[in-house]
Amino acid sequence: DAMVIQNPRYQVTQFGKPVTLSCSQTLNHNVMYWYQQKSSQAPKLLFHYYDKDFNNEADTPDNFQSRRPNTSFCFLDIRSPGLGDAAMYLCATSSPDRDISYNEQFFGPGTRLTVL
Amino acid sequence: RKEVEQDPGPFNVPEGATVAFNCTYSNSASQSFFWYRQDCRKEPKLLMSVYSSGNEDGRFTAQLNRASQYISLLIRDSKLSDSATYLCVVNTNTGGFKTIFGAGTRLFVKA
């Protein structure tokens, strides 16, 4: 089945130790998104790629970076995780057949990050 | 004021009840609207898009009121399996794409 895959599902890191979360998709969608969701809060968009074009949200901290080496893969790098970065990180994809705003997003199962 | 606001609930209803959720948004230039469902510790999944004319999918009805800047979701004949958090999503693509999720309304359907 076509899907969005995130690895690992659970990640534990130490305060200040860089960590990379990965997302892959078999949907061949050209848009990929990264969200941060804290407990009982809304998913918050960090950035998205439209093909190779990177779009950063204005309030995304510099501590968060992303890479998209090809259509299928996208990575979230947290350079120096703080305790406040503990959250669920969700990857999503969409395939706009017209304006990007009109299309369903397909989410992966998420990676739950713990910072010690 | 939050850009997308929802009543957090929880809504506790018996099976068979009708329940309605509202969501308000602040950006009048918003273009598209969705309801997503999120089960506990799972990813969000699209429930339905919301069209200007209103739309229905089985027991679920979504409405959009652009003048008042709110959308609604009505669930009829609630099932135990409807227990979840319902997220309102508002998208804009004026001067750059923006997608805003509401914090969600939690629903518990009891036998």
Side-chain angles (χ1 to χ4, degrees):
Chain A
D1 285 343
M3 55 199 304
V4 182
I5 302 160
Q6 290 189 245
N7 286 305
R9 295 291 308 277
Y10 300 90
Q11 176 73 57
V12 180
T13 191
Q14 292 179 337
F15 182 94
K17 185 174 181 181
V19 66
T20 295
L21 310 181
S22 73
C23 176
S24 63
Q25 53 128 341
T26 60
L27 298 161
N28 204 32
H29 285 173
N30 52 344
V31 187
M32 294 186 78
Y33 312 78
W34 277 107
Y35 290 85
Q36 179 193 66
Q37 186 176 26
K38 297 186 177 180
S39 182
S40 300
Q41 294 185 23
K44 182 184 177 307
L45 183 64
L46 297 173
F47 22 60
H48 76 277
Y49 275 93
Y50 196 133
D51 294 321
K52 294 183 179 181
D53 292 335
F54 177 70
N55 299 271
N56 198 29
E57 293 300 300
D59 56 355
T60 298
D62 292 341
N63 197 27
F64 292 88
Q65 305 285 321
S66 186
R67 297 170 282 134
R68 189 179 186 185
N70 54 52
T71 300
S72 300
F73 285 87
C74 196
F75 299 99
L76 170 62
D77 300 310
I78 309 176
R79 294 193 297 188
S80 182
L83 298 178
D85 296 328
M88 174 76 89
Y89 290 87
L90 294 161
C91 174
T93 71
S94 71
S95 182
D97 51 12
R98 45 172 178 157
D99 189 310
I100 185 177
S101 66
Y102 289 95
N103 292 90
E104 174 184 1
Q105 294 183 44
F106 295 82
F107 284 83
T111 294
R112 187 166 294 278
L113 178 68
T114 300
V115 182
L116 300 177
Chain B
R1 182 186 171 190
K2 291 181 181 177
E3 292 181 84
V4 176
E5 290 203 76
Q6 296 183 249
D7 181 342
F11 285 50
N12 293 289
V13 303
E15 272 188 295
T18 295
V19 61
F21 306 136
N22 288 326
C23 168
T24 59
Y25 59 96
S26 60
N27 185 352
S28 60
S30 297
Q31 295 169 272
S32 57
F33 310 88
F34 306 86
W35 284 102
Y36 279 73
R37 171 192 169 129
Q38 187 171 27
D39 292 291
C40 189
R41 302 179 78 84
K42 299 279 191 178
E43 72 274 21
K45 292 184 179 179
L46 180 69
L47 180 65
M48 57 198 306
S49 302
V50 187
Y51 303 122
S52 295
S53 55
N55 47 301
E56 187 174 309
D57 183 1
R59 297 181 293 108
F60 299 86
T61 301
Q63 297 277 356
L64 167 63
N65 185 322
R66 284 190 184 271
S68 300
Q69 294 180 205
Y70 80 82
I71 68 174
S72 63
L73 176 68
L74 184 76
I75 306 176
R76 290 181 299 278
D77 189 22
S78 299
K79 311 290 184 192
L80 295 175
S81 57
D82 293 334
S83 298
T85 297
Y86 291 83
L87 301 166
C88 167
V89 181
V90 177
N91 288 353
T92 311
N93 198 16
T94 307
F97 172 71
K98 198 169 184 181
T99 182
I100 308 289
F101 279 69
T105 298
R106 199 137 186 217
L107 172 66
F108 292 102
V109 181
K110 299 180 179 179

